[in-house]
Amino acid sequence: MASLQLSNLSKSFNQTKVLEGLNLMVPEGEFIALIGPSGCGKSTLLRIIAGLDEPTSGDVLLDGQWVNELSPRERKVAMVFQSYALYPHMTVFENIGFNLKISKIPRQEIRQRVTQTAAILDLEELLERKPSQLSGGQRQRVAMGRAIVRNPNLFLFDEPLSNLDAKLRVQMRDEIKKLHKAIKTTSIYVTHDQVEAMTLADRIVILNDGVIQQIGTPQQLYNTPVNPFVAGFIGSPSMNFLNGKWEDDHKTAIILKDGTKLPAPVPKSNTHFDASTQNDILIGMRPEHLHLRPAMSEDIQVKGVLDHIEPTGAQNYLKVRVDGQIITATDLQQSQLQSQQPIELAIAHKNLHFFANTAHE
């Protein structure tokens, strides 16, 4: 396995900037997820790391070696694509061992390496089957086996689970997690699914418009997002935002657009927000932190009108009109409520997030 470093990496297609000034250090054995909305540049970045595309500027280093001009084979990276791309006329054994065969690896070594890989992926009983005889999950495991058998320095995953149904995606997430624990190869995983990223990765890189917004562990991104984009991207349902201004120079209360006053000084955990330099602000509140309960001493009370309820089985999502907009609150108790009734929500002060309003525009 190898470490990966990206230094001031940029990519443009004609006049269109796709990636701009990216810097990232991935130690040996780490599992990194790249996430962001469609078109943010994550798949382009993966292709540059693999050697399938060249950067417009900047450097790619593997174990400290500059590899910008090396082919994918010379970089010793293996890529697992969204499409399984299996050869339909070949058996599972032949598909997994095909790259070894064209590299003229001795037949006995091929058999040994394919057998070892099949054991890791629980494919031993399927080696003589053709792809048409396999389920979607089994085909994806064969595609992963084709990468594993090469003993690469770096694994690159390009949305490998997006073709699977929801239940199978959960199962394959577990398979990939176990695989990484077993072989400990440095891995870069591209996905648009934040749940995949949160459950699989040691650290997550969030991209938007070709720029890294934040790098951190799943808990860091959830607990301390540095801007509204990250705050709204991580978490499901996404974070609620309310616009407001400080009531006065003491910065201890916020006035919403409709005149509602929230006694809400900035929590000390919001180290990225300087209250002294901001007047127009956004207050972020995660739905799971808003509760139907009497406000306690450390709570902020938010008053609104219940617009409608979205039942999901284990819980209800309450859609509440506050300050002329709809916010979401999670109701684990499935309370008996009626649309258009007044409602009071409580949120612990420590769970408030503050951002400069200009960052949300």
Side-chain angles (χ1 to χ4, degrees), residues 51-214:
L52 299 173
D53 281 335
E54 294 182 2
T56 303
S57 61
D59 301 310
V60 180
L61 297 95
L62 291 175
D63 272 344
Q65 178 189 0
W66 186 73
V67 298
N68 284 38
E69 296 180 357
L70 297 185
S71 68
R73 185 176 296 276
E74 291 172 311
R75 297 183 190 197
K76 206 178 178 185
V77 300
M79 199 160 179
V80 180
F81 295 93
Q82 178 178 344
S83 170
Y84 315 130
L86 303 179
Y87 296 106
H89 62 286
M90 292 184 182
T91 65
V92 168
F93 183 98
E94 291 167 336
N95 266 285
I96 293 175
F98 182 71
N99 285 322
L100 303 181
K101 182 179 179 180
I102 63 176
S103 298
K104 302 190 184 304
I105 302 295
R107 184 176 299 177
Q108 185 57 38
E109 183 179 346
I110 292 175
R111 178 163 294 279
Q112 180 183 0
R113 286 166 66 171
V114 170
T115 302
Q116 289 174 344
T117 299
I120 292 172
L121 294 169
D122 197 22
L123 294 170
E124 296 157 294
E125 304 300 319
L126 307 175
L127 288 175
E128 298 307 315
R129 293 191 188 182
K130 300 285 182 66
S132 61
Q133 299 172 297
L134 304 177
S135 68
Q138 290 168 338
R139 291 178 196 174
Q140 190 57 268
R141 277 187 279 154
V142 175
M144 290 165 57
R146 192 170 48 192
I148 294 168
V149 77
R150 296 171 54 196
N151 296 326
N153 289 326
L154 189 67
F155 272 129
L156 305 176
F157 296 89
D158 191 6
E159 303 205 40
L161 308 185
S162 58
N163 286 337
L164 305 179
D165 62 44
K167 183 177 180 181
L168 198 48
R169 281 203 302 271
V170 173
Q171 179 183 331
M172 287 304 300
R173 284 206 307 261
D174 292 340
E175 297 282 350
I176 292 173
K177 191 85 170 179
K178 287 189 290 185
L179 173 65
H180 184 254
K181 285 183 178 180
I183 62 179
K184 297 180 172 63
T185 302
T186 310
S187 300
I188 313 295
Y189 190 101
V190 163
T191 180
H192 64 277
D193 186 333
Q194 55 144 320
V195 175
E196 271 182 33
M198 298 280 279
T199 54
L200 286 171
D202 300 316
R203 286 190 301 154
I204 298 172
V205 179
I206 298 187
L207 285 168
N208 188 37
D209 293 333
V211 177
I212 292 177
Q213 301 295 309
Q214 189 172 353

Side-chain angles (χ1 to χ4, degrees), residues 243-261:
N243 294 278
K245 294 178 180 289
W246 294 116
E247 180 184 31
D248 52 40
D249 292 339
H250 296 295
K251 314 287 187 182
T252 57
I254 294 161
I255 305 298
L256 302 183
K257 283 185 176 181
D258 66 357
T260 300
K261 178 179 175 180

